[in-house]
Amino acid sequence: MTGLDPRMVLGAYAVGVFPMADNRQADSVYWVEPKRRAILPLDGFHLSRSLRKTIAANRFRVTADTAFEAVIRLCAEGATDRPETWISGQIETAFTALHRLGFAHSVECWDGDRLVGGLYGLALGRAFFGESMVSRERDASKVALAWLVARLRVGGFTLLDCQFQTDHLASLGAIEISRAAYLGLLSGAVAGAVEGALAAGAGAGDVALSAPRVSSGVPGDFFALDGASATATVASPPDGKVIAQLLGQTS
């Protein structure tokens, strides 16, 4: 089984293409460029009254990048409503490498010490490419997405790519746009972001990739939310009430 080169993955996302596999055990991937693309405008997240209450009450403990590998494995598990997964071993390995290099991130929802939901994706420039989200308790994936939107807004991101539209995503504010419109948004969001990241290096197992840097514009800061409080002495995610208030400002 040939490995999936992280540099190739970054280059693909920068031009609007992403990898998928037929199933968990697939030994190859195929590259997808949808004619219609789902995005979630960062000022258009639909925060329902019930979800607002769940977030403000801190029903789940929410973290970021504390359990990336556990999140991607949870997303890859089969479920009653989704017996098959497109997250193959190659894709998991590539994204784990990209996480270690600072490109791929996760948001986790915990009930005590038990991981009950979350999401993961790829950050490049001011674009975040959502890959998959999962719930093992009611509303856990919705809470993770809400926290992601807040994190991206505070961090100066301009594009949240959801790949394919679903009823679930539409209920949270996702819209479909044409490929041409998407590429226009993408171009502005990733301008210069792969400069250096695609520098010469050997194979997928190498760490020859550079950290993200943008030559035109300012890159998004995935962790800006953690230090958003002026009184914070240690960077940490804010209280759920702060997230609910932030999202409610334009929802």
Side-chain angles (χ1 to χ4, degrees):
M1 179 170 62
T2 304
L4 187 60
D5 190 336
R7 292 168 300 162
M8 181 186 297
V9 175
L10 289 176
Y13 277 88
V15 296
V17 182
F18 56 87
M20 296 186 74
D22 286 327
N23 54 61
R24 180 68 169 158
Q25 287 73 40
D27 59 4
S28 62
V29 302
Y30 54 92
W31 298 92
V32 182
E33 185 181 14
K35 292 182 179 179
R36 303 284 296 175
R37 197 76 166 233
I39 66 167
L40 203 165
L42 294 175
D43 61 353
F45 182 76
H46 291 172
L47 183 65
S48 67
R49 182 176 299 178
S50 61
L51 183 57
R52 182 194 298 270
K53 288 181 178 179
T54 297
I55 294 170
N58 293 301
R59 168 67 184 84
F60 302 109
R61 178 171 60 90
V62 183
T63 57
D65 276 10
T66 64
F68 182 90
E69 294 183 35
V71 168
I72 195 170
R73 284 194 300 268
L74 194 63
C75 286
E77 287 180 2
T80 55
D81 60 339
R82 190 189 60 182
E84 289 291 344
T85 177
W86 55 267
I87 305 171
S88 67
Q90 284 191 62
I91 291 174
E92 180 180 350
T93 298
F95 270 84
T96 299
L98 287 165
H99 169 66
R100 292 171 181 166
L101 293 163
F103 292 94
H105 302 284
S106 60
V107 175
E108 305 94 16
C109 288
W110 306 85
D111 184 357
D113 292 328
R114 186 167 71 96
L115 181 66
V116 295
L119 57 81
Y120 78 96
L122 179 72
L124 190 60
R126 289 174 290 148
F128 189 90
F129 306 91
E131 286 295 299
S132 185
M133 57 185 186
V134 62
S135 278
R136 289 295 181 263
E137 286 193 10
R138 183 177 178 179
D139 288 341
S141 65
K142 290 182 181 180
V143 170
L145 183 59
W147 277 76
L148 174 67
V149 170
R151 186 171 288 279
L152 299 183
R153 286 177 58 180
V154 172
F157 286 78
T158 60
L159 175 63
L160 173 51
D161 174 23
C162 302
Q163 297 182 346
F164 300 108
Q165 181 70 300
T166 65
D167 291 342
H168 178 62
L169 287 171
S171 72
L172 295 168
I175 61 173
E176 261 192 336
I177 60 175
S178 69
R179 178 188 295 167
Y182 173 78
L183 291 176
L185 295 174
L186 177 66
S187 177
V190 303
V194 293
E195 183 181 319
L198 302 181
D206 284 0
V207 291
L209 294 171
S210 303
R213 61 189 179 97
V214 173
S215 60
S216 59
V218 179
D221 181 357
F222 188 78
F223 297 102
L225 180 70
D226 301 326
S229 172
T231 61
T233 56
V234 178
S236 61
D239 185 85
K241 292 179 179 178
V242 175
I243 300 300
Q245 183 178 17
L246 174 64
L247 293 175
Q249 290 174 358
T250 57
S251 298

